[in-house]
Amino acid sequence: MKDFHCKDTGASCDFVARGNSNQEILDQVGKHAQTAHNMKVTPELSRKVEGLIHDESSDAHRQSSERR
Ligand SMILES: [Zn+2]
């Protein structure tokens, strides 16, 4: 299981997307970006999000969960 923390982008937002593939997460993040942040999903944004997706068991995930 992979996840993406919206606050990793620098937003003060507790949204977390979870899925088994980057595409699954990108779909959720795309909807979230539009409805919650009024952001258009560009190829640049998708790349940024993909770079922030990480495995739930990784150190990066622990850091994201602890960061406030
Ligand atoms: Zn958000």
Side-chain angles (χ1 to χ4, degrees), residues 4-7 9 11-16 29 32-33 36-37 39:
F4 164 82
H5 295 245
C6 196
K7 62 174 170 290
T9 65
S12 56
C13 175
D14 285 333
F15 175 80
V16 181
V29 174
H32 172 75
H37 301 291
M39 276 168 72

Side-chain angles (χ1 to χ4, degrees), residues 18 22 34 41 51 54 64-65:
R18 291 190 177 82
N22 284 9
Q34 284 178 354
V41 183
H54 46 60
S64 297
S65 300

Side-chain angles (χ1 to χ4, degrees), residues 39-53:
M39 276 168 72
K40 228 176 134 82
V41 183
T42 60
E44 287 75 24
L45 182 67
S46 296
R47 262 201 301 280
K48 186 178 179 185
V49 168
E50 260 187 302
L52 291 169
I53 292 172

